[in-house]
Amino acid sequence: NMQGVAQVLAAVKQEAATRAQVKVPTDAVFAALQSAGIELGHRKQVYAALVGAQYCEAAGAPGIAVSVCEYRSAEAATKGMAAAGASFKAMAPNVTRTRNDSTVLTVNRAPAAGSVDPSTQIIKVFSTLGGRA
C-alpha cells in the first residue's frame, strides 16, 4: 500500500521537524559511543511513533543493532520501554533497554559464541550522559 508508506514517510519527516529538546539527545549518544571507540554504521532516523517516541535513530555493526529514542518525558520513556518490550519480545529476545532521563537506548545483539559482547560498554557510555553517573 503506497499510501501507507507515504504516510509513514511524512510522519518520520514531521518527527524530525518537531523534535523537542531533551537532556540526552540522539546526537550526544552516538557521539559518545564513537568517542568510546564503538563504531556503528548506517545511522538513520527511524519511525518513532512505533514505540511512542517523538524521535528515534538507529545504527549497527556486525552482530549488534542500537536504537536511541527521545521521548517528551521520563514517564513517557518508561511507558515506551514497556510497550516496546511487550510488542517486540518474540522478534528480539536478546534486547536490553535502558532509560536515561527521557531517552531510551535499545541494544539488540545477535547471539554469537566466543565473540565479545559490546552491549555492556554501549550501555555504560549511555548511562553516563547528561550528568548521570
Side-chain angles (χ1 to χ4, degrees):
N1 180 343
M2 293 309 291
Q3 184 178 5
V5 171
Q7 288 173 339
V8 170
L9 292 174
V12 168
K13 188 174 182 178
Q14 182 67 18
E15 289 171 355
T18 59
R19 287 173 74 180
Q21 287 191 348
V22 296
K23 188 174 184 179
V24 183
T26 60
D27 294 333
V29 175
F30 286 108
L33 294 173
Q34 185 173 11
S35 291
I38 300 167
E39 296 296 326
L40 299 170
H42 308 291
R43 180 177 160 195
K44 61 185 174 194
Q45 182 188 356
V46 295
Y47 187 41
L50 192 60
V51 293
Q54 67 172 355
Y55 182 80
C56 294
E57 289 187 50
I64 197 154
V66 173
S67 67
V68 182
C69 293
E70 301 170 355
Y71 290 81
R72 297 222 178 266
S73 67
E75 295 78 21
T78 299
K79 288 179 184 176
M81 285 176 68
S87 297
F88 303 113
K89 186 175 185 173
M91 290 187 337
N94 296 313
V95 165
T96 303
R97 287 184 183 81
T98 306
R99 183 178 63 81
N100 185 336
D101 197 55
S102 63
T103 303
V104 173
L105 170 78
T106 301
V107 180
N108 187 0
R109 64 194 183 292
S115 67
V116 175
D117 179 5
S119 61
T120 302
Q121 185 182 9
I122 291 170
I123 293 166
K124 182 179 178 182
V125 170
F126 173 72
S127 295
T128 63
L129 294 173
R132 185 174 156 198

